[in-house]
Amino acid sequence: MEANQKKEVRALKHFWYLRTWLKALLVFLSSTSFFSPASCYSFDYKQALSLSLLYFESQRSGHLPHNQRVTWRHHSGLTDGLEQGVDLVGGYYDAGDNVKFGLPMAFTITLLSWGVIEYGDLIASAGEYSHALEAIKWGTDYFIKAHTHPHVLWAQVGDGGTDHYCWQRPEDMTTSRRAYKLDADNPGSEVAGETAAAMAAASIVFRRTNPHYSHLLLQHAQQLFEFGDKYRGKYDESIGVAKGYYSSVSGYRDELLWAAIWLYKATENEEYLKYVLQNAYDFGGTTWAVAEFSWDIKYAGLQSIASMLLMEGEKHKGQSRVILQQYRSKAEHYLCACLGQNNSTNVHRTPGGLLYVRQWNNMQYVSTASLLLTVYSDHLRAAGQRLHCDKGDVSPQEILAFAKSQVDYILGSNPTERSYLVGYGPHFPMRVHHRGASMESYKENMGFIGCTQGYDNWYGRHDPNPNVLTGALVGGPNSTDGFRDERGNYVQTEACTYNTAALVGVFARLNRVQEEDAFKDEEGGYLALISDN
Ligand SMILES: *[C@@H]1O[C@H](CO)[C@@H](O)[C@H](O)[C@H]1NC(C)=O
Ligand SMILES: *[C@@H]1O[C@H](CO)[C@@H](O)[C@H](O)[C@H]1NC(C)=O
Ligand SMILES: *[C@@H]1O[C@H](CO)[C@@H](O)[C@H](O)[C@H]1NC(C)=O
């Protein structure tokens, strides 16, 4: 960055400081809310939304299309599945390596689809609708290929062991591309369930713009759910190489309920709701109150959707209503624990205010919590309700304000004044733990970079990555807001597709808040910072 450009940025920053401090002061004087805003920045959520969708193009495997915008990437994995006689070209690399892991890939697509279902109109008004749909379709096209038979799902290509031994661009891969499948003898209900959820959610997304494709996705989703339910088993026992990378700790019962509730949303077929209600207790849906929502543990998402069914009115009666209320009580525990309003246990926070679940890739829990809080707050508002927590009721506006505080932390409102969304703002991680981004672009140097050559020549360099992994949300800071921007520090500098996926809809939602705030500023309303209706 040029020196005078820097000065301009600084001057602009000062202006924002002054303006937002004034606003904050006025808000403080006129409000007694315990959720008063801590942010002294103003963020461009629309830009964050655009960047976040670019990230999925960096993670693409397979034959890249002509309209590929991330130009440092090229075709890769073009023989995936060949050894086994199946076409598994396409899909996404999950993080900084070149393995295609089925479970996190499916969760990524479920999250992206959910964001579009809730906030598709806002994504469209920000001009990003087609990019969002492309990001989803890159995943669902692959799932269609991977689901070769009603009871066969190819759930992984490559393996962490041989992949991690090398540091290679995906375009150069010489590592094993062996594919692993699930079938009746080798069941894997987590991946079958999550892929069913992803395809059911995506079928809702494509219903209007591509009804034929939507119908196809729904058919696959129904078959996959039936497969996962009929042949129950833990996927990492069938695919041993997934262990140690994406081991299923919570088992598959959450994914089966999660798939069923998405299928209910997609079809309104009462049989799926019946499944969610009848298995609620045995499968832990109404007994677990877990303070994380992740590729492994879907309970909080399931419970939130079940609660939102209740908010739709009196449609569900009698015993169904009772069970949905039990789901709701667990959803409330999750949300209240995130908000710090639960009596017994709350989610920890860093001194800077970031939700903190655990050291390794903590941002995944922050982004999924932001999505659940944002969506829940909008459904509460539409129903004219409030969230009941041990410490008192919380309004939809306060829930949204808290979600915003988490997103603002991600974008730079934090003690190190660093954005954790790569490419956003003046200061962001430069040494993301990512094979492709850390090495010279294949487009610039097509010379082969061998397995250990990548480690020797690129991995240990102090220089920033030659390619910016735009839109990636990295693992993030430690429990005291500290962050070491080093390529080897994968606990903090690696990014994953499901981190960013949860934020897409949230960025679109916050962009709307901001547009409304700007309008209110013109009217002279200073309360705009905390209230958005
Ligand atoms: C919130 O508190 C309740 C008890 O009031 C507890 O059962 C629940 O596990 C807590 N929720 C979380 C997510 O920790
Ligand atoms: C939460 O704690 C407060 C204060 O200790 C107490 O008055 C209240 O009854 C508790 N609520 C629940 C649901 O346990
Ligand atoms: C967090 O990271 C900072 C910067 O690397 C370090 O100084 C601090 O000790 C770390 N805190 C913990 C609890 O590890």
Side-chain angles (χ1 to χ4, degrees), residues 359 478-484 492:
Q359 197 180 1
N478 66 15
S479 61
T480 53
D481 301 297
F483 182 78
R484 275 186 303 114
Q492 296 188 321

Side-chain angles (χ1 to χ4, degrees), residues 69-315:
R69 295 175 297 159
V70 175
T71 52
W72 52 267
R73 282 294 325 283
H74 202 58
H75 312 316
S76 65
L78 296 181
T79 58
D80 283 2
L82 196 65
E83 271 175 63
Q84 277 81 21
V86 51
D87 173 9
L88 294 174
V89 176
Y92 287 111
Y93 303 119
D94 76 301
D97 53 17
N98 302 327
V99 183
K100 297 196 292 200
F101 289 107
L103 184 57
M105 199 196 303
F107 185 55
T108 297
I109 299 305
T110 312
L111 292 174
L112 275 173
S113 301
W114 197 359
V116 173
I117 291 166
E118 299 288 341
Y119 303 116
D121 51 339
L122 303 182
I123 294 172
S125 68
E128 292 293 338
Y129 196 67
S130 62
H131 293 142
L133 263 52
E134 278 167 29
I136 293 168
K137 194 162 182 290
W138 196 266
T140 48
D141 282 351
Y142 177 77
F143 299 147
I144 291 171
K145 286 182 168 187
H147 185 212
T148 49
H149 177 274
H151 296 162
V152 176
L153 176 64
W154 293 85
Q156 184 167 325
V157 180
D159 69 273
T162 54
D163 190 276
H164 290 195
Y165 179 72
C166 300
W167 190 262
Q168 269 181 309
R169 302 180 296 198
E171 292 83 359
D172 289 329
M173 275 188 291
T174 51
T175 47
S176 162
R177 297 307 288 170
R178 186 176 158 193
Y180 300 86
K181 75 172 169 184
L182 301 169
D183 57 24
D185 297 327
N186 308 280
S189 303
E190 295 92 342
V191 191
E194 187 62 58
T195 311
M199 294 177 106
S203 82
I204 302 173
V205 170
F206 287 103
R207 200 180 278 159
R208 191 172 50 81
T209 54
N210 195 344
H212 170 73
Y213 190 66
S214 164
H215 185 70
L216 182 65
L217 293 177
L218 196 52
Q219 269 184 329
H220 280 281
Q222 288 174 309
Q223 282 181 355
L224 280 167
F225 173 67
E226 195 249 351
F227 167 48
D229 186 45
K230 186 168 175 192
Y231 301 99
R232 291 185 192 173
K234 280 186 75 183
Y235 97 103
D236 57 0
E237 277 164 18
S238 296
I239 302 178
V241 290
K243 273 207 177 104
Y245 299 93
Y246 286 101
S247 313
S248 170
V249 177
S250 75
Y252 54 75
R253 297 180 308 170
D254 51 337
E255 276 86 8
L256 288 178
L257 293 170
W258 177 238
I261 206 159
W262 274 109
L263 278 162
Y264 176 62
K265 274 174 77 80
T267 61
E268 289 185 28
N269 180 339
E270 295 291 330
E271 287 303 308
Y272 292 116
L273 181 62
K274 219 157 124 199
Y275 186 96
V276 171
L277 299 174
Q278 284 176 351
N279 294 297
Y281 182 83
D282 289 343
F283 284 12
T286 50
T287 55
W288 279 100
V290 189
E292 72 174 71
F293 176 45
S294 68
W295 58 265
D296 185 22
I297 310 185
K298 315 292 151 60
Y299 287 117
L302 160 75
Q303 291 154 353
S304 298
I305 294 180
S307 317
M308 294 182 310
L309 295 180
L310 271 179
M311 290 177 212
E312 284 164 10
E314 300 299 312
K315 188 174 165 206

Side-chain angles (χ1 to χ4, degrees), residues 289-291 333-334 337 342 344-345 390:
V290 189
H333 278 326
Y334 170 84
N342 208 5
S344 55
T345 32
D390 294 349

